[in-house]
Amino acid sequence: SQQGEEDPQALSIQEGENATMNCSYKTSINNLQWYRQNSGRGLVHLILIRSNEREKHSGRLRVTLDTSKKSSSLLITASRAADTASYFCATVPLSGNTGKLIFGQGTTLQVKP
Amino acid sequence: DAMVIQNPRYQVTQFGKPVTLSCSQTLNHNVMYWYQQKSSQAPKLLFHYYDKDFNNEADTPDNFQSRRPNTSFCFLDIRSPGLGDAAMYLCATSRGARLAGGTDTQYFGPGTRLTVL
């Protein structure tokens, strides 16, 4: 069953602005990952945050994780038109150790030049 | 460059006519996954192979089968495609959670868009 829910479903901003996407999940996790998908393409892994981490940075990306609220956020700073894509959070459940990803519904981001 | 390759990128089939989608990888990863993604939805895992060990998701229809003849290749067979099977099919690979200590990340191919007429 699907575990992650994301909001907003769609986000439209101007180039240079920051974009924030949120993800909530239901069960205990080993880690949470964010992926990007350009239109009609496969997914690309962006960043992984472990359950014992609270914040992680990678270039213009900042991810936070609050396990008490079972939520995560992805912040893209100084957005560019090339950031236009769908962004998915995906959780790895704590049980099972299969590494299986449970994807959220995704946020579609449009960055206007 | 190491990568995940899917062929074809676009596949058109007729209602009820069997179709096979292929995936190959040069990453030498242990795990290969097949996802179905419908428009504006999240990818839905159909099944995965951990080495030769096949793992089917409980809600994957019997119409969907998979084969992994060797480490590099994995196939998705749709025995009798229906209109509802039109979707993007994504193949992904990973090293495997047992090796990665649970922090496994997946590498996706570009997908095959299936149209059913």
Side-chain angles (χ1 to χ4, degrees):
Chain A
S1 61
Q2 200 130 306
Q3 177 166 244
E5 298 295 331
E6 294 183 58
D7 82 276
Q9 288 189 340
L11 181 60
S12 182
I13 58 174
Q14 293 294 135
E15 207 165 25
E17 294 180 340
N18 296 340
T20 299
M21 290 159 263
N22 303 296
C23 168
S24 62
Y25 57 92
K26 295 178 183 174
T27 62
S28 297
I29 61 171
N30 178 295
N31 64 79
L32 184 145
Q33 303 177 27
W34 285 90
Y35 286 79
R36 183 186 74 220
Q37 184 178 34
N38 289 81
S39 180
R41 306 288 296 181
L43 283 76
V44 174
H45 177 258
L46 294 176
I47 195 165
L48 179 152
I49 186 164
R50 292 178 172 82
S51 59
N52 62 353
E53 296 176 313
R54 292 296 166 258
E55 187 170 313
K56 203 159 183 182
H57 297 255
S58 177
R60 293 184 295 111
L61 304 180
R62 173 180 167 244
V63 169
T64 61
L65 179 65
D66 187 336
T67 53
S68 67
K69 295 181 179 178
K70 292 186 168 58
S71 68
S72 173
S73 68
L74 171 67
L75 169 67
I76 304 174
T77 60
S79 64
R80 304 167 182 168
D83 295 328
T84 294
S86 292
Y87 292 81
F88 293 91
C89 70
T91 53
V92 175
L94 190 59
S95 62
N97 195 31
T98 64
K100 187 170 85 171
L101 293 174
I102 310 294
F103 282 93
Q105 288 286 6
T107 294
T108 300
L109 172 66
Q110 181 186 30
V111 181
K112 299 174 186 175
Chain B
D1 287 341
M3 57 176 62
V4 181
I5 301 162
Q6 289 189 247
N7 286 307
R9 293 293 314 282
Y10 300 91
Q11 176 73 57
V12 180
T13 191
Q14 292 180 332
F15 183 94
K17 184 175 180 181
V19 66
T20 295
L21 310 182
S22 73
C23 177
S24 64
Q25 53 129 342
T26 60
L27 297 159
N28 203 32
H29 280 171
N30 295 309
V31 192
M32 294 187 78
Y33 308 82
W34 279 105
Y35 291 88
Q36 179 192 65
Q37 186 180 27
K38 296 188 176 180
S39 182
S40 301
Q41 294 185 21
K44 178 180 179 296
L45 183 64
L46 296 173
F47 26 58
H48 73 279
Y49 274 94
Y50 201 122
D51 294 327
K52 296 180 181 179
D53 185 22
F54 178 70
N55 299 273
N56 198 29
E57 293 300 299
D59 56 354
T60 297
D62 292 339
N63 198 26
F64 292 87
Q65 306 279 315
S66 186
R67 297 170 283 133
R68 189 179 185 185
N70 53 53
T71 300
S72 301
F73 285 87
C74 195
F75 300 98
L76 170 62
D77 300 308
I78 308 176
R79 293 193 295 186
S80 182
L83 298 178
D85 297 328
M88 174 77 87
Y89 289 89
L90 297 166
C91 174
T93 73
S94 72
R95 290 178 60 211
R98 297 168 211 164
L99 287 175
T103 56
D104 212 16
T105 60
Q106 294 185 18
Y107 295 76
F108 283 80
T112 294
R113 183 165 295 283
L114 178 68
T115 300
V116 182
L117 301 178

